[in-house]
Amino acid sequence: MPFESLVATCLAYVVLMFGVAYAADRAAARGHVRWLDHPLVYTLSLSVYCSAWTFYGAVGYASRSGLEFLTIYLGPTIVFTGAWWGLRRLVRVARMHHVTSVADLISARFGKSNQLAGLVTLIAVIASTPYIALQLQSVRLSFEAFATDAPNGAATDGNAFGGTGLWVAAGLALFTILFGTRNLAADERHHGVVTAIALEAIVKLLAFIALGVFVVWGLADGPLDMLDRIARASADPQVAQGWMLQPDRWTALILVSAAAILTLPRMFQVMVVEAADEERLHVAGWAFPAYLFAMSLFVLPIAVMGREMLPASANPDLYVLTLPAAAGQDLLALLVFLGGFSAATSMVVVCAIAVATMVSNHWLVPVWLALRRIPAGDETDDLRGFVLNARRLAILAVMAAGWVYHEASGGTAALAAMGLVAFTGMAQVLPAMVGGLLWRGANRKGAYAGIGTGFVLWMALLFLPSVGIGGALPVPAGTDPWTAAVMLALVLNTLAFIGVSIFGFPDPVERLQGLSFVSAVEPIRHSRMMRGNDRAEPLLAMARRVWGADAALRYFQAEARAQGKSGYLPDLTPRFLTRLERRLAGSIGSATAHAMIDRVAGGVALTVSDLLQVADEAQRAKEETQRLEAARAELVRTAGQLREANDKLTALSVQKDAFLGQISHELRTPMTSVRAFSEILKDPSLTEAERTRFAGIIHDEAGRLTRLLDDLLDLSVLESRRAQLTIGVANLHDLISRALSAASATRPERGFLIDRDLPSEHLAVITDVDRLLQVLINVISNARKYCDAVHPVLIIRVRRPEGGGAVIDIVDNGSGIDSGRQSLIFEKFARLNDPARAGGAGLGLAICREIMLNLGGEISYLPGQGGAAFRIVLPARPPAAAEEARQA
Amino acid sequence: MPDRPLFLERASFHRRRLGDAARVLPVLAMLLILVPVWWVPSSVSFAAGAVWIFTLWGLLVIAVWALHRALLRAEAATMRASEAVPEADDAASAPVGGGPDAL
């Protein structure tokens, strides 16, 4: 294809990219980010990993080393299978801290140290410059290869294309500056760039798959034939030797490419910085490996077919272009050319943005701020403008460096190795990064030691040899020198990082950050940051300098409103200051933001005791909660007890009222008869016999009254436990016999059959004999009164329990007492049947219970004995006697 | 820790086990990719090796896809379970398919 029309095609393609980026930026500005935020756009933007090095170089790599080229894709695949717990966490933490680059992540984690970020930036710059040069070279080579009909004729006419690299570099710099430094937003996202890259990813993939399909089904005869050809190609002993996989190299390459997907500046930019949240990794977790799968599926077939069809002198790195051209498929070749062009440009753009952000945030801005030591409040200049210009300058510098490197190296084959060199360089950041995210003990000195060691070894063993300075590592025969160098650098790096971390004691800011990163929680706010409110205005002025007046005012107003204040000046609470600092960090990096806030708000250094106070406050709050919990439980218990006491008092009050009512009633009945009959006695016409009868009735009723009052007095004495006991010894058999004969006066017409076990009754008891007799008479009389059997039987059983004393059971064969009323029978005035039949005041059993309590025993109702059954339990000695015995 | 529950309900338990699977998967992938090359490099270096590695790769993609799908569902289920507890009465009286879950 003529050179001019090729240039025209490229220009048209570039215009398309500019248009897409512009449209996406405009849509984002209007808030139409729905499809821009789609996980698929995110996944496609990750394909910036497949640069021109992989697009063209993979085929060359495969034709030289067989399946080994797959390692570059398998490493990221393994990382992405762990997307759910690994990458999601990385993105969440990075978003939480508004991290702007991989250097910023390391710096924020290790105490917001700008020097550390500067070191990481240095590695990134050294590693990226040749890598960008490699992309420029691939574009130049593809031009050379494609613009002539004879694939190899261009080499003699290289000058015609000498300007290609410069033009490409200039065009990409323009694109990057236009869409990469449009704003200085707090979240550092570039919708235009990402969308353009997503489109380029589709072009890349389509081009490669189209070529692959053409090779497998057009040139070869389907997949089986292709496998056959691969087998045939590898039958050549020279090829077989190159293709044989070396396990150590295989492992090291997978390790390095897995590290690269995390640490390469451009990958961190699209994967972490441009991600709105971690949710999109749910799709990217499988879709990105699938993309890599599709990109590498046809690499080996193309390589084998190129070997077969093209002359041995053809450059395998350009098989993807020369193969379709040689087969006469010019349109396919053009598509592939555009695919390669896409791969190169997208990589350069993103890499330039990422490295320029690092350079401006960690090199230019801190230096500029340090050079101008003017009190913060008086600064009226526009920091925002400076940061943006610094970034533009950095982009130009990165591009220029890449072009100069490209020109200086003269496009030698040495560049081809630069991809891996860049990978291994950035991989030196991995131990500090992963350690910082997983291990709270990792500290800044350890990070310095690890990254420093790795950097020096990488320079000496990998970078400098790759540009022709120094030689490869002297290793024993049979070992791969590259693998040895990579493993040596990474292992010593990790050991230095861990070793120094173990013996270090990090400063408080670092420890707070460590906690926040490892636990993936919001940074703890510490009370020392509380300062006077007169500093709010200078802070607003500072934010205005970074974000521009409108954005700063909007943010401050929103914060003030969140605190419930009107106006633009929120209170300088620790919460607000922490949030402001992290938001500023999104624009200028965490270290610079931290330094600026400290300078404006009159920084007070955080001390270890502040940290302990933070921990203390949390501990105190926890203890306070536990204390309140305990107090609450105590209150609940007390309330329960109070409720019970109240219930008891209410019941007692009701009982007292009932008792008064009962006793009034009991006293009133005999009094009424006494009054009525004494009225009658006044009548003079009464006969002597009548007078005698009425006087008799009055006498009886008075006697009943006296008995009732005696009982009441007796009960009250017994209840107060002041009853005088006359303790004596008696034979229980005699007592029972006396009780039976005394009780026989009650309802003498009832013939009771008495069932006694005479031998066991001969027990000596020490007690108040008269009182016990009273109880026995009462219980037996009750039985006589209430037993309703036709042939009444009274069973009396006595036994001596273990501890001495006696147990007397008195059981009749009547219908007994309902279970519901058994508890009532010992209460005062508790007459179960009609009062007339009982003929007493209903105090008998109440008195019995009191007597037994006074004697130290008890009387209880035994349910389930086939009739009314009472058990009287006597102790070995009455309480008073027991007391005397103890005293004696 | 006293303030963390000792035992989980079915939904949360299921989600945690899927999370364990997500942790194991990268290790498994790494072993499957590395071990054969250390073991029998000569038989995985050529055409057969290409078939082996691309098959494995395709299976890995499908496994991650299925796992993420299951995890998202399990998370949604846990969310529903924790929401349903305080609003059990509402959920019972709501018409079937009327909630946002039906969409």
Side-chain angles (χ1 to χ4, degrees):
Chain A
M1 186 178 275
F3 183 67
E4 288 75 18
S5 53
L6 194 58
V7 171
T9 315
C10 279
L11 280 179
Y13 182 74
V14 167
V15 168
L16 174 69
M17 286 304 137
F18 272 69
V20 166
Y22 180 72
D25 258 355
R26 273 188 62 125
R30 289 206 210 111
H32 299 167
V33 288
R34 246 187 104 113
W35 59 271
L36 296 178
D37 253 351
H38 196 277
L40 272 183
V41 172
Y42 173 76
T43 308
L44 286 171
S45 73
L46 292 179
S47 73
V48 74
Y49 181 74
C50 303
S51 65
W53 175 51
T54 47
F55 191 87
Y56 292 117
V59 172
Y61 198 160
S63 89
R64 281 184 293 268
S65 311
L67 288 174
E68 193 181 283
F69 83 94
L70 282 173
T71 52
I72 305 302
Y73 302 101
L74 287 174
T77 299
I78 293 176
V79 170
F80 268 77
T81 55
W84 188 267
W85 58 272
L87 294 179
R88 266 182 11 139
R89 184 198 182 88
L90 170 68
V91 170
R92 186 183 316 152
V93 169
R95 298 310 304 158
M96 196 184 285
H97 288 266
H98 293 282
V99 160
T100 58
S101 66
V102 62
D104 196 31
L105 178 85
I106 301 275
S107 140
R109 163 61 180 86
F110 295 105
K112 304 175 184 173
S113 150
N114 198 43
Q115 286 82 359
L116 192 56
L119 176 63
V120 176
T121 305
L122 180 66
I123 300 179
V125 168
I126 295 178
S128 298
T129 305
Y131 205 178
I132 289 177
L134 175 63
Q135 310 301 317
L136 297 180
Q137 172 183 295
S138 74
V139 173
R140 187 177 66 89
L141 282 180
S142 64
F143 260 93
E144 283 175 14
F146 199 56
T148 55
D149 289 312
N152 299 303
T156 53
D157 194 19
N159 290 343
F161 308 101
T164 314
L166 182 61
W167 281 111
V168 171
L172 290 177
L174 180 67
F175 181 88
T176 314
I177 287 171
L178 270 183
F179 296 104
T181 61
R182 177 164 277 239
N183 48 10
L184 196 55
D187 61 354
E188 267 311 323
R189 298 181 62 201
H190 309 92
H191 289 291
V193 174
V194 168
T195 312
I197 285 168
L199 188 63
E200 291 197 309
I202 298 175
V203 173
K204 263 192 295 200
L205 186 66
L206 281 184
F208 213 84
I209 289 185
L211 178 62
V213 167
F214 169 70
V215 166
V216 173
W217 280 275
L219 297 178
D221 208 9
L224 288 179
D225 180 42
M226 202 63 244
L227 280 175
D228 233 26
R229 284 167 193 255
I230 293 172
R232 246 179 292 148
S234 56
D236 180 352
Q238 205 179 344
V239 172
Q241 196 194 353
W243 282 22
M244 178 64 80
L245 295 178
Q246 294 161 272
D248 49 349
R249 221 178 130 78
W250 175 263
T251 309
L253 278 165
I254 286 180
L255 178 68
V256 164
S257 55
I261 196 85
L262 294 170
T263 53
L264 279 180
R266 67 173 194 277
M267 288 319 297
F268 195 87
Q269 179 77 29
V270 289
M271 190 163 73
V272 179
V273 181
E274 302 283 356
D277 52 53
E278 69 264 24
E279 304 300 315
R280 52 213 58 235
L281 281 163
H282 300 163
V283 173
W286 59 267
F288 185 58
Y291 186 95
L292 295 178
F293 176 93
M295 280 301 281
S296 47
L297 185 59
F298 294 112
V299 168
L300 201 58
I302 295 170
V304 168
M305 197 52 85
R307 266 179 171 277
E308 276 187 25
M309 297 188 62
L310 297 174
S313 62
N315 182 359
D317 285 337
L318 291 175
Y319 278 172
V320 281
L321 273 180
T322 48
L323 197 59
Q329 298 284 338
D330 276 352
L331 269 180
L332 181 59
L334 182 65
L335 183 61
V336 170
F337 171 79
L338 283 180
F341 188 71
S342 295
T345 51
S346 58
M347 181 274 167
V348 173
V349 167
V350 181
C351 190
I353 289 179
V355 175
T357 305
M358 287 196 224
V359 168
S360 79
N361 279 0
H362 305 304
W363 285 359
L364 302 180
V365 173
V367 169
W368 188 75
L369 284 177
L371 287 178
R372 303 173 73 264
R373 294 191 177 279
I374 305 169
D378 304 340
E379 287 172 284
T380 51
D381 55 343
D382 181 19
L383 187 61
R384 175 167 180 261
F386 174 79
V387 173
L388 284 178
N389 283 331
R391 225 166 260 193
R392 288 173 188 139
L393 186 72
I395 288 173
L396 282 178
V398 169
M399 290 291 186
W403 178 73
V404 166
Y405 192 96
H406 169 243
E407 291 297 303
S409 66
T412 59
L415 271 184
M418 281 322 296
L420 265 186
V421 173
F423 275 32
T424 49
M426 285 317 292
Q428 303 307 324
V429 178
L430 187 75
M433 181 169 151
V434 172
L437 284 172
L438 299 179
W439 182 32
R440 264 178 80 182
N443 66 29
R444 189 190 312 165
K445 291 209 177 76
Y448 269 124
I451 295 177
T453 309
F455 175 57
V456 169
L457 287 173
W458 171 68
M459 282 298 279
L461 299 177
L462 292 158
F463 184 83
L464 291 178
S466 78
V467 294
I469 305 170
L473 195 66
V475 289
T479 324
D480 183 44
W482 181 86
T483 308
V486 168
M487 294 316 277
L488 186 70
L490 274 178
V491 167
L492 288 184
N493 175 340
T494 311
L495 285 182
F497 170 63
I498 294 175
V500 175
S501 286
I502 283 175
F503 294 106
F505 184 74
D507 73 32
V509 175
E510 207 184 324
R511 288 169 74 187
L512 271 181
Q513 291 293 95
L515 174 68
S516 169
F517 271 73
V518 173
S519 315
V521 291
E522 295 270 317
I524 294 176
R525 301 178 291 273
H526 44 90
S527 50
R528 266 311 256 288
M529 279 181 80
M530 187 85 76
R531 287 152 193 147
N533 277 349
D534 55 327
R535 309 303 295 170
E537 205 162 345
L539 277 178
L540 175 58
M542 184 192 73
R544 201 191 61 224
R545 289 168 53 215
V546 177
W547 294 330
D550 278 349
L553 278 175
R554 257 202 315 278
Y555 179 72
F556 271 63
Q557 192 178 22
E559 286 290 330
R561 201 175 297 141
Q563 291 180 357
K565 291 181 71 176
S566 59
Y568 294 95
L569 296 180
D571 287 336
L572 296 192
T573 58
R575 180 184 168 77
F576 167 66
L577 284 174
T578 315
R579 283 161 61 98
L580 177 65
E581 180 181 319
R582 273 190 293 146
R583 223 178 141 79
L584 279 174
S587 306
I588 51 178
S590 55
T592 311
H594 185 64
M596 282 181 76
I597 292 243
D598 264 7
R599 199 150 65 115
V600 173
V604 183
L606 188 66
T607 63
V608 176
S609 58
D610 289 340
L611 268 194
L612 293 180
Q613 199 187 331
V614 168
D616 247 20
E617 275 165 16
Q619 184 63 28
R620 266 207 300 279
K622 207 169 158 190
E623 277 168 10
E624 183 71 5
T625 316
Q626 281 170 353
R627 211 182 53 73
L628 284 176
E629 194 70 23
R632 202 184 68 84
E634 178 67 38
L635 276 178
V636 167
R637 255 199 312 280
T638 315
Q641 286 166 352
L642 281 175
R643 210 173 11 251
E644 250 172 46
N646 186 44
D647 287 351
K648 206 179 265 176
L649 282 176
T650 313
L652 277 176
S653 159
V654 168
Q655 211 175 337
K656 186 202 73 191
D657 290 345
F659 178 69
L660 282 174
Q662 290 271 13
I663 206 156
S664 316
H665 178 76
E666 293 295 334
L667 289 173
R668 198 162 177 266
T669 319
M671 282 304 283
T672 313
S673 345
V674 169
R675 233 182 71 195
F677 284 105
S678 35
E679 285 268 358
I680 297 171
L681 276 184
K682 282 186 191 162
D683 189 346
S685 64
L686 283 179
T687 61
E688 193 58 32
E690 279 171 329
R691 208 175 287 274
T692 315
R693 194 165 67 88
F694 291 147
I697 291 175
I698 289 173
H699 182 260
D700 283 352
E701 287 300 309
R704 216 173 112 195
L705 260 178
T706 315
R707 272 202 311 281
L708 181 60
L709 289 172
D710 281 349
D711 279 356
L712 277 172
L713 277 175
D714 199 18
L715 191 61
S716 108
V717 168
L718 285 167
E719 275 182 338
S720 66
R721 302 284 184 275
R722 282 185 277 113
Q724 284 293 319
L725 300 179
T726 318
I727 307 299
V729 182
N731 187 336
L732 204 51
H733 172 79
D734 299 345
L735 283 179
I736 292 172
S737 299
R738 277 167 65 191
L740 279 171
S741 62
S744 61
T746 313
R747 297 183 75 187
E749 73 281 4
R750 303 265 297 172
F752 264 79
L753 180 68
I754 310 293
D755 173 2
R756 295 172 68 177
D757 181 15
L758 295 179
S760 67
E761 281 178 9
H762 291 281
L763 284 180
V765 290
I766 306 170
T767 187
D768 186 322
V769 179
D770 292 339
R771 287 295 193 179
L772 181 58
L773 194 61
Q774 191 184 346
V775 171
L776 290 172
I777 294 171
N778 205 309
V779 173
I780 294 169
S781 317
N782 271 354
R784 294 189 74 96
K785 259 187 241 170
Y786 298 118
C787 182
D788 50 5
V790 184
H791 303 291
V793 178
L794 192 65
I795 306 164
I796 299 174
R797 288 283 180 276
V798 175
R799 66 190 165 84
R800 168 153 289 191
E802 291 281 307
V807 174
I808 308 155
D809 289 344
I810 299 170
V811 186
D812 66 30
N813 62 343
S815 53
I817 297 168
D818 299 347
S819 62
R821 316 192 66 171
Q822 286 167 7
S823 60
L824 289 177
I825 52 176
F826 292 106
E827 297 302 326
K828 286 167 270 196
F829 302 110
R831 266 173 312 193
L832 300 182
N833 313 71
D834 58 309
R837 226 179 111 203
L843 288 170
L845 279 175
I847 291 173
C848 287
R849 185 182 62 173
E850 291 305 323
I851 290 173
M852 288 318 295
L853 285 174
N854 273 284
L855 293 179
E858 64 171 327
I859 177 167
S860 54
Y861 184 82
L862 293 181
Q865 302 298 313
F870 289 89
R871 167 167 289 180
I872 298 161
V873 180
L874 265 181
R877 287 163 184 278
E883 214 166 285
E884 278 164 26
R886 254 204 311 280
Q887 280 165 5
Chain B
M1 291 260 244
D3 32 13
R4 255 171 48 183
L6 277 179
F7 299 103
L8 296 167
E9 284 181 55
R10 190 184 181 82
S12 321
F13 184 87
H14 183 56
R15 185 170 58 93
R16 296 253 178 121
R17 297 298 79 77
L18 282 173
D20 294 345
R23 284 179 174 79
V24 170
L25 191 62
V27 179
L28 185 72
M30 200 164 67
L31 289 178
L32 287 175
I33 288 171
L34 292 183
V35 169
V37 175
W38 281 91
W39 208 354
V40 279
S42 54
S43 41
V44 292
S45 293
F46 310 107
V51 174
W52 154 69
I53 204 130
F54 280 106
T55 312
L56 176 64
W57 202 338
L59 291 179
L60 272 180
V61 170
I62 293 169
V64 176
W65 173 76
L67 184 66
H68 282 199
R69 204 175 132 92
L71 272 163
L72 285 175
R73 284 186 175 182
E75 263 185 7
T78 326
M79 208 87 87
R80 271 203 303 278
S82 61
E83 276 171 8
V85 171
E87 294 169 11
D89 295 342
D90 299 354
S93 60
V96 176
D101 294 346
L103 296 176

